[in-house]
Amino acid sequence: MSKFKALSSAFLAASVICGAFPFAVTASSEEKNVRLIVENHTLTSENGADWEGILVDEWVPVGTDFDALSIVKNTLAEKELGSVISDSGYISEINGLSSEDGGSMGAWMVMLDDWVTDEGITAYTSASGKLLPGDEIKLSYSTSWGADLGYDWSGTSTLLSDVKINGGIIDPAFSAETKEYRITSETGKISFVPTAENKAFRWKIYKNEYTPEAPGSDIKSCEDITCDDGDVVYIGVGNKAWHSYLAEGVNETVYKFTINSDKQ
């Protein structure tokens, strides 16, 4: 696939996490739901936007067979929020905010667990294993085909820019280039909220065994992880098993966090 096709795929997807951190709900408490966020933080009303901020943020109940496109369409319809979405999944307008409003590079981007997807929204279904309970679908408006959201289709860095840790103290302080850490925890319950330098590359979290090719074996962002002394948490970024395409020069990065637990 050419770089142009990779860009086009993300654009046509119009490409989460307990991503809006102040609104975080643990995925473990919502394991039969999928979180949907619709937001615009890039185009102001002064520059033509019909609305700004977060339009939707809720956990949507799902059964055994579900898909991202239906979740989006049904939720918007239930809330009486108008949308223009083609059968192929291209999102051109939500609640009056259209791709043209942001200029020639205006677009609705589809993000899955804080990652700008590399396939159209129709690819993300429970049947394909690409959408699971606890996942987050985020529709974010962009005025620059995702660059203003942290997405660089031509970039190769698979580093994390930050990791927020709840329930533990990290040593040394997080730095993108440092790959190994120790975390001290008095409760033995720790959660991680990673942020990739480039949202073109997906990250996933694992405990003790790093199993990127096993769908559903990862731990969600913000989900409490029960850890004993000596346990290890891995965060990988840019593994080829999670992407439909990776350009030459893209190498996976794996961070390792060893737990020093002194439960009270």
Side-chain angles (χ1 to χ4, degrees):
M1 181 187 289
S2 67
K3 287 184 177 179
F4 174 78
K5 286 185 177 179
L7 174 60
S8 299
S9 175
F11 174 75
L12 290 175
S15 302
V16 191
I17 94 199
C18 296
F21 190 71
F23 302 94
V25 179
T26 59
S28 58
S29 68
E30 301 287 354
E31 60 184 0
K32 295 182 181 179
N33 296 350
V34 170
R35 189 181 186 187
L36 175 63
I37 296 174
V38 182
E39 65 178 17
N40 167 35
H41 297 298
T42 59
L43 186 64
T44 65
S45 56
E46 289 83 358
N47 289 324
D50 274 25
W51 54 272
E52 300 177 55
I54 297 175
L55 185 68
V56 176
D57 185 355
E58 68 177 55
W59 288 88
V60 179
V62 295
T64 56
D65 185 17
F66 53 93
D67 63 273
L69 183 58
S70 294
I71 289 171
V72 170
K73 284 186 171 182
N74 293 342
T75 302
L76 293 177
E78 288 170 3
K79 293 181 173 297
E80 299 183 346
L81 298 170
S83 64
V84 179
I85 304 175
S86 70
D87 291 340
S88 65
Y90 175 67
I91 302 169
S92 57
E93 183 178 320
I94 297 178
N95 200 39
L97 180 54
S98 71
S99 54
E100 293 84 359
D101 295 336
S104 61
M105 294 191 293
W108 279 103
M109 308 296 284
V110 176
M111 303 179 72
L112 180 65
D113 295 337
D114 203 37
W115 163 63
V116 176
T117 60
D118 56 9
E119 296 179 273
I121 193 172
T122 55
Y124 298 94
T125 69
S126 58
S128 69
K130 294 180 179 180
L131 184 66
L132 300 173
D135 281 344
E136 178 190 277
I137 304 164
K138 183 187 290 183
L139 306 181
S140 293
Y141 192 81
S142 171
T143 62
S144 54
W145 288 346
D148 48 6
L149 303 176
Y151 169 71
D152 177 7
W153 66 273
S154 63
T156 60
S157 171
T158 59
L159 296 175
L160 291 175
S161 62
D162 189 24
V163 180
K164 290 183 173 63
I165 297 172
N166 298 315
I169 299 173
I170 189 171
D171 181 46
F174 182 79
S175 171
E177 297 289 347
T178 302
K179 307 304 190 304
E180 295 195 16
Y181 300 88
R182 296 197 67 85
I183 295 180
T184 301
S185 172
E186 293 184 354
T187 66
K189 290 187 180 295
I190 307 170
S191 62
F192 296 76
V193 185
T195 301
E197 277 191 3
N198 185 355
K199 293 184 186 297
F201 302 112
R202 192 170 193 180
W203 51 255
K204 290 195 176 187
I205 305 168
Y206 299 86
K207 175 184 171 183
N208 288 337
E209 294 185 6
Y210 187 63
T211 53
E213 295 185 358
S217 63
D218 58 302
I219 299 166
K220 300 302 178 185
S221 174
C222 293
E223 181 177 350
D224 281 341
I225 305 172
T226 300
C227 293
D228 293 318
D229 192 62
D231 281 343
V232 177
V233 173
Y234 299 94
I235 302 178
V237 189
N239 187 280
K240 64 181 181 180
W242 311 329
H243 300 80
S244 65
Y245 163 78
L246 284 178
E248 291 185 11
V250 175
N251 297 308
E252 176 187 24
T253 300
V254 179
Y255 294 88
K256 179 181 178 182
F257 303 83
T258 302
I259 309 303
N260 177 18
S261 179
D262 184 17
K263 296 179 184 179
Q264 299 299 308

